[in-house]
């Protein structure tokens, strides 16, 4: 073996760069220094039961730049519950980052190493924000014959590490985000086609309370025993809250060996303009006179039918009868996909199909003849009414009155506490993403952040007509006026207005242009204090911006659930939000935030002033916020509900929910009902 006596990392940055980075960080904060993005490859050769040779190769996006080889002791580690390989690798990579002013993006390792070092992947992800990519060498290249496989094993451990780094890089796109994979039949292959093992079951178990986990496992046991197949269908694999929920749910289901697959249709030009208009009409935020023509409705019908016929109803597809390998239970997401329901019911009338409505529906207008809402709703309802359940956000007014009450169940939107949007990140990694934000600002001459020298308020949301961005700007302007009146010597925070774009959100550019026009014409004196950015998808960047903020706002005029509110509260940030949709279910007024009526920017400004000037109250709210979020809005709580529904419908019993919360039904069925004192969303909200 090469390097029998080991080899240490040798690369070091210039003294000039180290000095400049240190000065920048000290003077301007952690967002100022630029970190060099790198990739790592990890390989291990086991000498015997007591020691292992660990090689780490360092790559930029093109070449090998450094490597190390070292022997470590592993005797009796597994029996003691220890993972010395993970300890060593994490320690070495963290030291390398700080020494070389760098940030590791991904790390490649062989699948064999997953068994030898079970904690390595999740520690890379949670401790260092590195995406671990597990690779089967003989399946990633031309090494497919037994001769080629022996060639791989004949490589020295340092060569193997270099190979792992090179193969890892191939899983990342130009923006250094993992490539989104959509495979055969439109299957969403989450986490780089299952190669990025970012979390383990123990990580998910720690993210919730014991009753939630135990109740979920009750249904996991049933589903695995019955061999139940679950299929979800939604419109896009990335960009919105539905996609985020499905990524997390599939990730957990895979770890639990529950057969759950998620499908999306092939995108078609023009379709998402139609579906976004439908969304806006149902919410009541569309432009006056907006409607969906008969031709546009037919485009949607044909789009869904074409995808179903080509990919899902063909032999081997998920919509074939169960005896032909199709799914046992089918979940349909949102108004883009109901056209599937009659196709499924025509083929298999008794197979359960559950419809999940994720948006606010103006239930009052949806049944009022002559309104655009009634026209759109009737178009959708002719298909949705064939489903076995109507699952809505837990706001009764979102359910039109022609939906039969016995079929209605309530389920909140959820988020994942361990994904890139929500996991805890250290200051070094936050600095990397904060610098990316400021770089993007600089490229278009937008106001940059000066955190922590200047704190900031933030609203993270799509640039959407319903997100209340004009009210947000008015609120900030009024806050600045009140602050000057209160104490002219106090420095004002900045305001950040940002959000991701999505392929099914064509309104984003329009609303962004309107926002900038408002600022430039009505509030030019605030341009240097407000940063407005429509960002490419980057979960950790949004995580950083929320985590470093002082106060979070969500001033929607119409809203579904908006789980971004719970994400902010979970980080210990007070939230000022409107009394719209599911937001009041999440904000406890005066405890972890403040609720205002939509459009009341005077009230928002007063609350901002209070939180900015009353430090004791601010700290009290931050502390309460961290412990006030329910498991119902996390991935395990979400999985509990879906696994319960799948189990009940797959075994032929079904349920008649009668307007109850799915979480309550699931906990009761598992024999673990809610007890007094458990964090739980209000159950009586919006009821007469």
């Amino acid at each position: 073996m090469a390097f029998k006596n080991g080899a240490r990392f040798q690369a070091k940055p210039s003294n000039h760069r180290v000095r400049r980075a240190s000065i920048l960080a000290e003077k301007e904060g952690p967002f100022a220094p630029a970190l060099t993005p790198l990739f790592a490859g990890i390989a291990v050769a086991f000498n015997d039961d007591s020691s292992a040779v660990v090689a780490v190769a360092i790559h930029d996006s093109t070449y090998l730049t450094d490597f190390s080889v070292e022997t470590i002791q592993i005797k009796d580690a597994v029996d003691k519950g220890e993972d010395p390989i993970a300890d060593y690798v994490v320690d070495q990579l963290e030291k390398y980052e700080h020494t070389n002013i760098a940030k590791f993006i991904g790390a490649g390792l062989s699948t064999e190493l997953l068994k030898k070092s079970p904690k390595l992947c999740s520690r890379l992800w949670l401790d260092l924000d590195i995406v671990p990519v597990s690779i089967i060498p003989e399946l990633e290249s031309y090494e497919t014959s037994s001769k080629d496989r022996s060639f791989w094993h004949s490589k020295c451990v340092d060569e193997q590490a270099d190979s792992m780094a090179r193969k890892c890089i191939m899983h990342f796109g130009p923006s250094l985000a993992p490539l989104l994979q959509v495979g055969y039949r439109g299957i969403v292959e989450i986490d780089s086609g299952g190669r990025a093992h970012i979390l383990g079951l123990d990580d998910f178990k720690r993210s919730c309370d014991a009753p939630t986990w135990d109740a979920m496992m009750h249904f996991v046991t049933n589903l695995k025993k019955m061999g139940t197949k679950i299929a979800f269908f939604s419109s896009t694999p990335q960009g919105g809250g539905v996609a985020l929920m499905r990524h997390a749910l599939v990730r957990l289901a895979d770890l639990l060996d529950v057969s759950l697959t998620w499908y999306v249709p092939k995108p078609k030009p023009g379709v998402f303009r139609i579906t976004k208009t439908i969304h806006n009409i149902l919410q009541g935020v569309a432009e006056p006179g907006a409607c969906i023509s008969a031709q546009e409705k037919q485009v949607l019908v044909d789009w869904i039918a074409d995808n179903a016929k080509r990919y899902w109803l063909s032999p081997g597809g998920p919509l074939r009868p169960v005896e032909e390998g199709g799914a046992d239970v089918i979940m349909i997401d949102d108004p883009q996909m109901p056209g599937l329901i009659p196709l499924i019911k025509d083929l298999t009338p008794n197979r359960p199909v559950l419809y999940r409505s994720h948006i606010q529906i103006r239930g009052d207008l949806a049944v009022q003849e002559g309104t655009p809402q009634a026209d759109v709703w009737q178009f959708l309802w002719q298909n949705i009414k064939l489903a076995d359940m109507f699952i809505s956000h837990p706001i009764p007014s979102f359910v039109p009155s022609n939906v039969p009450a016995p079929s209605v169940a309530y389920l909140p939107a959820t988020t994942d506490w361990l994904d890139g949007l929500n996991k805890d990140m250290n200051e070094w990694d936050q600095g990397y993403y904060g610098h990316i934000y400021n770089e993007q600002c600089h490229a278009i001459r937008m106001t940059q952040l000066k955190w922590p020298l200047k704190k900031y308020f933030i609203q993270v949301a799509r640039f959407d007509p319903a997100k209340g961005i004009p009210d947000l700007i008015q609120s900030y302007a009024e806050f600045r006026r009140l602050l000057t009146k209160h104490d002219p010597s106090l420095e004002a925070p900045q305001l950040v207005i940002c959000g991701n774009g999505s392929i099914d959100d064509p309104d984003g550019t329009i609303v962004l242009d309107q926002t900038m026009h408002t600022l430039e014409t009505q509030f030019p004196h605030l341009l240097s204090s407000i940063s407005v950015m429509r960002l490419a998808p980057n979960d950790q960047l949004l995580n950083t911006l929320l985590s470093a903020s002082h106060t979070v706002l969500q001033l929607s005029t119409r809203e579904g659930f908006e789980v971004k509110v719970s994400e902010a509260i979970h980080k210990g940030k007070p939230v000022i939000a409107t009394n719209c949709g599911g937001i009041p279910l999440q904000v406890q007024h005066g405890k972890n935030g403040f609720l205002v009526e939509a459009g009341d920017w005077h009230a928002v400004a007063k609350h901002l002033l209070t939180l900015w000037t009353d430090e004791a109250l601010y700290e009290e709210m931050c502390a309460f916020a961290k412990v006030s979020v329910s498991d119902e809005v996390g991935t395990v709580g979400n999985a509990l509900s879906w696994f319960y529904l799948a189990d009940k419908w797959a075994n032929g019993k079904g349920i008649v929910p009668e307007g109850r919360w799915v979480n309550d039904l699931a906990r009761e069925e598992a024999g673990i009902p809610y007890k007094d004192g458990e964090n739980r969303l209000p159950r009586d909200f919006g009821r007469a």
Side-chain angles (χ1 to χ4, degrees):
M1 179 182 292
F3 305 106
K4 291 183 178 180
N5 297 321
R8 297 191 173 187
F9 292 124
Q10 297 182 12
K12 291 184 179 180
S14 69
N15 291 332
H16 172 74
R17 185 171 179 227
V18 171
R19 186 171 63 254
R20 285 294 301 272
S22 177
I23 292 171
L24 277 173
E26 184 176 341
K27 285 187 174 181
E28 300 180 27
F31 289 5
L35 305 183
T36 302
L38 296 173
F39 295 86
I42 304 159
V44 179
F46 295 90
N47 295 327
D48 48 44
D49 292 336
S50 62
S51 66
V53 179
V54 182
V56 180
I58 309 298
H59 264 252
D60 58 20
S61 58
T62 309
Y63 298 110
L64 173 72
T65 59
D66 207 354
F67 72 98
S68 74
V69 180
E70 191 166 338
T71 300
I72 65 171
Q73 299 303 310
I74 60 171
K75 187 175 182 180
D76 301 327
V78 175
D79 294 336
K80 296 177 182 177
E82 299 172 351
D83 193 336
I85 295 174
D87 293 340
Y88 169 78
V89 170
V90 169
D91 178 67
Q92 289 296 301
L93 293 182
E94 185 170 24
K95 287 178 179 175
Y96 195 93
E97 284 186 333
H98 289 258
T99 300
N100 291 275
I101 316 175
K103 167 74 177 80
F104 284 106
I105 306 300
L109 58 151
S110 71
T111 51
E112 295 178 54
L113 187 51
L114 295 178
K115 302 171 185 176
K116 301 289 187 179
S117 180
K119 297 179 182 178
L120 176 57
C121 286
S122 60
R123 287 200 58 196
L124 287 171
W125 173 247
L126 295 174
D127 293 2
L128 298 181
D129 183 48
I130 299 172
V131 178
V133 180
S134 64
I135 296 165
I136 305 175
E138 57 268 24
L139 297 183
E140 294 282 332
S141 59
Y142 300 106
E143 300 158 355
T144 53
S145 69
S146 58
K147 180 180 178 181
D148 289 331
R149 293 178 190 179
S150 63
F151 173 70
W152 163 256
H153 288 292
S154 69
K155 291 181 179 180
C156 294
V157 68
D158 56 309
E159 293 178 281
Q160 291 182 351
D162 177 57
S163 179
M164 291 295 97
R166 285 185 281 107
K167 289 179 168 66
C168 170
I169 293 168
M170 296 166 62
H171 292 274
F172 294 81
S175 65
L176 302 183
L179 292 170
L180 180 67
Q181 306 280 352
V182 178
Y184 182 52
R185 297 189 189 277
I187 294 176
V188 182
E189 299 175 344
I190 65 140
D191 297 339
S192 295
R195 294 176 179 85
H197 296 267
I198 60 175
L199 298 168
L201 279 180
D202 287 343
D203 301 309
F204 277 109
K205 190 173 183 179
R206 285 192 294 268
S207 74
C208 66
D209 293 331
T212 305
W213 182 265
D214 293 342
M216 180 196 70
M217 291 305 298
H218 171 85
F219 299 108
V220 168
T221 301
N222 293 348
L223 292 170
K224 292 168 71 172
K225 183 178 179 180
M226 297 283 293
T228 303
K229 293 181 180 179
I230 308 165
F232 278 83
F233 290 84
S234 55
S235 61
T236 58
Q238 188 179 51
V242 176
L244 289 169
M245 285 190 279
R246 296 294 165 258
H247 277 278
L249 182 62
V250 175
R251 183 179 299 127
L252 177 55
D254 286 349
L255 289 170
L256 292 164
D257 291 324
V258 171
S259 178
L260 190 155
T261 313
W262 171 28
Y263 299 86
V264 295
K266 300 294 181 184
K268 181 182 178 70
V271 162
F272 293 126
R273 175 63 271 172
I274 300 170
T275 59
K276 183 59 178 175
T277 301
I278 287 176
H279 184 285
N280 290 346
I281 289 173
L282 290 175
Q283 278 197 313
V285 297
E287 292 293 325
C291 64
I292 301 298
S293 68
Q295 182 180 357
E296 289 172 323
K297 292 173 183 175
Q298 193 60 46
V299 168
L300 285 183
V301 171
D302 293 343
W303 175 54
I304 294 299
D306 181 59
N307 274 275
K309 182 179 179 180
R310 207 187 309 183
Y311 304 113
W312 304 326
L313 287 169
S314 56
L319 299 186
R320 295 303 302 167
V322 173
E323 56 270 20
E324 296 180 25
D328 295 280
V329 184
I330 297 165
M331 319 297 190
I332 305 294
D333 278 319
D334 257 350
Q336 294 93 336
M337 308 299 293
L340 282 178
I341 301 174
L343 301 177
I344 299 166
K345 289 297 186 179
D346 285 347
L347 182 65
T348 50
N350 297 321
R351 180 163 42 173
V353 179
L354 313 185
Y355 176 72
R356 172 63 163 108
S357 175
H358 293 272
I359 66 171
Q360 177 186 16
I361 298 174
R362 284 292 302 274
D364 55 336
L365 297 178
V367 293
Q368 183 178 326
E369 287 295 328
T371 64
Q373 287 80 8
D375 176 65
V376 169
W377 175 244
Q378 186 54 42
F379 167 64
L380 299 174
W381 178 240
Q382 64 183 342
N383 295 325
I384 296 171
K385 67 183 180 182
L386 302 175
D388 296 281
M389 281 183 66
F390 186 96
I391 304 165
S392 168
H393 285 324
I395 299 96
S397 63
F398 286 11
V399 183
S401 60
N402 62 341
V403 180
S407 70
V408 175
Y410 293 121
L411 184 66
T414 61
T415 191
D416 190 81
W417 304 127
L418 302 173
D419 68 7
L421 272 173
N422 295 292
K423 65 175 180 174
D424 292 332
M425 292 198 301
N426 60 49
E427 189 178 275
W428 188 265
D429 295 328
Q430 287 184 346
Y432 171 76
Y433 293 106
H435 184 82
I436 289 177
Y437 181 83
N438 278 342
E439 273 190 331
Q440 293 181 14
C441 290
H442 177 73
I444 61 172
R445 300 304 184 265
M446 177 54 66
T447 302
Q448 299 180 43
L449 299 184
K450 300 175 182 178
W451 185 84
L453 303 181
K454 264 185 176 287
K455 297 178 181 179
Y456 59 88
F457 303 146
I458 189 169
Q459 175 165 303
V460 177
R462 287 189 189 186
F463 285 87
D464 182 283
K467 296 302 181 181
I469 295 176
D471 295 332
L472 177 65
I473 296 170
Q474 286 275 15
S475 300
Y476 181 71
E478 176 66 7
F479 158 76
R480 291 288 295 263
R481 188 187 70 79
L482 293 176
L483 182 65
T484 301
K485 183 178 178 181
H486 174 80
D487 187 346
S489 67
L490 286 180
E491 186 175 26
Q494 296 176 291
L495 173 65
V496 177
I497 307 171
C498 70
N500 288 344
S502 174
I503 60 171
D504 66 341
D505 183 19
D507 284 340
T509 302
I510 298 170
V511 176
L512 175 62
D513 286 344
Q514 291 171 347
T515 301
M516 293 311 302
H517 178 74
T518 298
L519 284 172
E520 290 167 356
T521 57
Q522 298 180 37
F523 304 98
H525 60 291
L526 295 178
L527 281 169
S528 62
S529 298
I530 300 178
S531 184
V532 182
M533 290 292 290
R534 191 174 187 224
L535 303 165
N538 187 320
D539 289 351
Q540 290 96 313
L541 174 51
L542 293 183
N543 185 341
T544 295
L545 293 174
L546 270 180
S547 298
S549 68
H550 179 273
T551 299
V552 177
L553 299 108
Q554 187 61 57
L555 303 186
S556 304
T557 56
R558 302 284 182 190
E559 195 53 83
F561 189 82
E562 191 46 89
V563 76
K564 188 65 63 184
V565 171
S566 282
E567 292 174 354
I569 293 171
H570 188 263
K571 293 179 181 298
K573 304 297 178 183
V575 175
I576 301 173
T578 49
N579 201 12
C580 291
I583 292 174
L585 290 164
Q586 304 168 74
V587 177
Q588 299 180 45
H589 184 73
K591 294 183 177 180
N592 58 15
F594 295 105
L595 290 169
V596 301
E597 294 304 315
D600 190 355
W601 48 267
H602 288 285
V604 175
K606 290 176 182 176
H607 291 313
L608 285 173
L609 182 68
T610 298
L611 290 172
W612 187 246
T613 57
D614 190 338
E615 189 171 340
L617 175 64
Y618 177 79
E619 294 298 335
E620 182 182 328
M621 280 194 162
C622 290
F624 182 82
K626 291 179 181 178
V627 297
S628 63
V629 179
S630 166
D631 280 349
E632 295 168 281
V633 295
T635 294
V636 179
N638 191 38
L640 163 62
S641 294
W642 286 116
F643 292 168
Y644 158 74
L645 291 172
D647 180 48
K648 292 292 286 185
W649 284 102
N651 66 24
K653 296 178 182 178
I655 62 169
V656 181
E658 296 280 4
R660 295 194 63 196
W661 287 53
V662 180
N663 297 77
D664 293 344
L665 295 167
R667 290 281 294 265
E668 291 166 12
E669 180 73 16
I672 312 173
Y674 279 99
K675 295 181 179 179
D676 291 341
E678 280 192 71
N679 270 338
R680 192 160 62 141
L681 298 173
R683 292 301 193 256
D684 57 354
F685 178 77
R687 296 181 184 271

